[in-house]
Every structure is written in C-alpha cells, then in structure tokens.
Amino acid sequence: MAMYADDPREFDVTEWSGGASWRVAGETGRRASHAVVGDDGVWLFDPLDAPGVAEVVDGLGDVAGVAVLSNYHARDADAFAERHGVPVAVPSWMDRVEERVDAPVVRYDGELGESGFSVRESNPIPGLREAVAYRERDGTLYVPDGLGSAPVFTVGDERVGVYLLARVFPPRDAFEGVRAERLLFGHGDPIEDDAAGALSDALSGARWRFPRALASNGWTQVRALLAALG
C-alpha cells in the first residue's frame, strides 16, 4: 500500500455535527481533511481534492476560507481557494506555505476569521511548525501532524498517537487548557467518543511507549517523513 496516493480518487467521508471529514482510502498515511461550519461560513482545513469532495463541501454551505495549518504541506488549498473565490489563510509565523500555493494568501494571528477557532503554534519536531486549532464552544480540536489516529501514529491500545519523533518530548504546551469533545487530525479518522481521555492518554503515555512505537512504526514513519519531504 502506498504511503500517499499520487492521485487520490476514493475517500471515506465522516459527517458530524457542524462539519464533515474526508480521508483518502487505500493509503498507509491516511491523510484527512475537514470542513467545519463557522459563523461566517464553511472553513476547509488542509483540504485534499478528488471527485465527490465538492458535493460534501457544498452540502454544508458557502465556503468562507481555506486554512493551511502545517508548513509541511499545502495539499490542494489553492485549488479550493480558486474554486470558491477565497484566500488561503496562513498563520503569520508559519513559513514554507506561500511557495506551495498558487492563490492569494492572507496572514492572521489568533482567531481564524469568524470560524470560532483560535490557533496556537506547535513545534513537535525541529522544522515542523503547525497550527493547532481549537474551538472552545464545542470542544473541537484539530491537529495537523503532531498527533494522529492513523495506525502509523498509534501503538497498542492507543486511539491517538504522538508522532514518533515527538514522543520523547510530546508537545503538551500546545494543548494546555483544551477540553476536547471532538478530535480531528491531518492523518486518521475523527474521534468523538471520550476525546478528552484519548488525548490525555496519548500525551501522558507517549514517552514510555516510545520503544514499542519505534519497533512497530519506526520504518513506516521514516517512509512517511520522506514522502512528505518529497
């Protein structure tokens, strides 16, 4: 199975209250994207395009903006921005994004438009800068790369796993004060059942489960990193 499909054609869609998620089928890396309804319209988080995705997005309402929340990838943000006539929103401190998108870019700090989400910087490993997005009113938390529910992230009974290279020093500061009711990831399926417990377990057990994660997922995560850099 490919780590990341060059031309994804099939997606698994999960609908939830106030939004929807779609994940590439048949990938080891299980890339996921999300459409969330805010006060100003629908916001797309790190979106990937494929036949049928437009219908998922259009069913939620008018698109207010496209958000790139990791400096490792822009995915198809520019295609969605052009389609809906909106800019690509990028945190003011995030590098490497503008060279990856062919669309107008707007910089911001703190609040992402009127989506209800606030973003905070997380640097789980050197070179990786991501924006963790949290909406307090419904407890929705989005993490692009530092955490994931895809099997390449998890080990044993974990429902959420910390990125392997960040397990020794997990990015706890990025989640201070967060009361998660719904977890969304850049890799893997959403989690709504005891989301707070899954998040707490991932962070508290990351370090002592590192040897097991290295043994079971080490080579797969190396492949994922090389694929992302490529």
Side-chain angles (χ1 to χ4, degrees):
M1 185 183 297
M3 180 60 63
Y4 301 124
D6 292 332
D7 184 21
R9 309 296 294 177
E10 296 185 10
F11 285 78
D12 295 323
V13 178
T14 302
E15 297 181 352
W16 38 271
S17 177
S21 304
W22 60 98
R23 175 178 62 77
V24 182
E27 277 190 344
T28 301
R30 298 196 183 188
R31 289 174 297 171
S33 304
H34 313 278
V36 295
V37 178
D39 293 339
D40 52 352
V42 179
W43 280 87
L44 308 180
F45 286 8
D46 294 329
L48 282 159
D49 204 5
V53 170
E55 286 76 7
V56 174
V57 173
D58 291 345
L60 294 170
D62 295 332
V63 172
V66 179
V68 171
L69 297 162
S70 171
N71 72 341
Y72 259 42
H73 50 71
R75 295 184 173 171
D76 297 316
D78 47 9
F80 281 93
E82 181 178 1
R83 181 181 304 158
H84 295 281
V86 296
V88 176
V90 181
S92 62
W93 42 262
M94 186 173 287
D95 59 356
R96 303 179 72 241
V97 176
E98 284 172 303
E99 63 196 66
R100 289 169 165 74
V101 298
D102 184 18
V105 170
V106 61
R107 296 283 183 165
Y108 69 95
D109 287 300
E111 301 297 320
L112 178 60
E114 295 179 32
S115 66
F117 283 87
S118 61
V119 302
R120 58 185 76 177
E121 183 176 358
S122 179
N123 302 291
I125 62 171
L128 172 57
R129 306 182 76 184
E130 65 177 6
V132 172
Y134 175 58
R135 187 160 63 185
E136 185 176 11
R137 70 173 183 241
D138 64 358
T140 299
L141 175 70
Y142 172 63
V143 186
D145 296 310
L147 305 177
S149 61
V152 68
F153 281 79
T154 60
V155 65
D157 294 331
E158 290 180 335
R159 292 189 296 144
V160 178
V162 176
Y163 184 69
L164 178 65
L165 298 180
R167 277 183 176 266
V168 176
F169 299 104
R172 293 188 178 90
D173 290 349
F175 307 104
E176 185 175 351
V178 167
R179 297 182 180 180
E181 297 291 339
R182 175 185 298 116
L183 299 174
L184 307 176
F185 306 102
H187 301 269
D189 295 324
I191 290 179
E192 293 189 275
D193 180 25
D194 189 21
L199 176 63
S200 176
D201 177 69
L203 296 173
S204 64
R207 182 175 298 179
W208 69 266
R209 289 193 285 257
F210 172 76
R212 186 174 179 183
L214 179 63
S216 62
N217 295 337
W219 172 238
T220 305
Q221 288 220 357
V222 169
R223 286 175 53 216
L225 179 61
L226 293 175
L229 292 175

